[in-house]
Amino acid sequence: DTGVSQDPRHKITKRGQNVTFRCDPISEHNRLYWYRQTLGQGPEFLTYFQNEAQLEKSRLLSDRFSAERPKGSFSTLEIQRTEQGDSAMYLCASRETYTEAFFGQGTRLTVV
Amino acid sequence: GQQVMQIPQYQHVQEGEDFTTYCNSSTTLSNIQWYKQRPGGHPVFLIQLVKSGEVKKQKRLTFQFGEAKKNSSLHITATQTTDVGTYFCAGNSGNTGKLIFGQGTTLQVKP
């Protein structure tokens, strides 16, 4: 499968715990995006990378969120001290510059 | 910061009726993309518009990019039940690679 893959697909965690999600983009894509989506809303931009450089991070994102893309390949998104408001679908997408974005299936996070 | 707004939020139509969703950006866009998300699925790319005033067609779908490159529309002729889903526009502004999505328009089609 040469599409975007995300792991895990589902995560249930207790409030206050840390969680980490992984995204493996399409290999030749230089840009990688993280979005958060809640029911009935559009994907909300979190951050994006060009190769290994994190070029922009949403101002709405608290310091509890951090993302990395070592060596410009896979990416991880970590949420520290999770809160119930963090419950959402976390989507990863990749693309070449100014072309279509390909989305993964997402990681559904539930904070209890 | 850049904002992308879509209207309407929901649209219920009878099968065979037409459907239109509108997208407006607070800033001039380099290009605009449209995606479709089926219930329980992830966004899937439909089309990209780049030029001012551009119109593109895909079978029953017609996409337009405004002259000022700040608005766009998607029109579906003679809707079918397979058109059900949420349609999102997403824009790039300036030289940034940041892709901002609208809130989407959810289309329900009654057979």
Side-chain angles (χ1 to χ4, degrees), chain A residues 17-92:
Chain A
Q17 297 294 306
N18 299 345
V19 293
T20 300
F21 309 141
R22 178 181 171 120
C23 172
D24 286 275
I26 293 172
S27 58
E28 60 267 27
H29 286 179
N30 60 349
R31 288 189 171 169
L32 185 149
Y33 298 77
W34 284 101
Y35 292 89
R36 176 171 60 191
Q37 187 176 30
T38 53
L39 197 61
Q41 300 297 314
E44 176 193 3
F45 173 82
L46 296 179
T47 188
Y48 89 99
F49 294 82
Q50 179 154 308
N51 301 313
E52 67 274 9
Q54 187 174 19
L55 295 190
E56 193 160 349
K57 183 176 174 180
S58 170
R59 283 172 284 178
L60 300 174
L61 215 57
S62 79
D63 291 341
R64 298 183 297 106
F65 287 72
S66 62
E68 294 183 340
R69 192 184 182 195
K71 302 178 184 177
S73 55
F74 72 92
S75 177
T76 57
L77 177 69
E78 182 184 17
I79 308 174
Q80 296 182 326
R81 305 180 304 282
T82 51
E83 302 172 356
Q84 286 190 322
D86 297 331
S87 295
M89 177 72 83
Y90 289 83
L91 293 166
C92 175

Side-chain angles (χ1 to χ4, degrees), chain B residues 11-18 78-80 107-111:
Chain B
Q11 185 82 58
H12 295 252
V13 300
Q14 196 74 38
E15 189 172 20
E17 291 182 338
D18 293 355
T79 54
Q80 300 175 359
L107 172 64
Q108 294 284 359
V109 179
K110 291 177 282 188

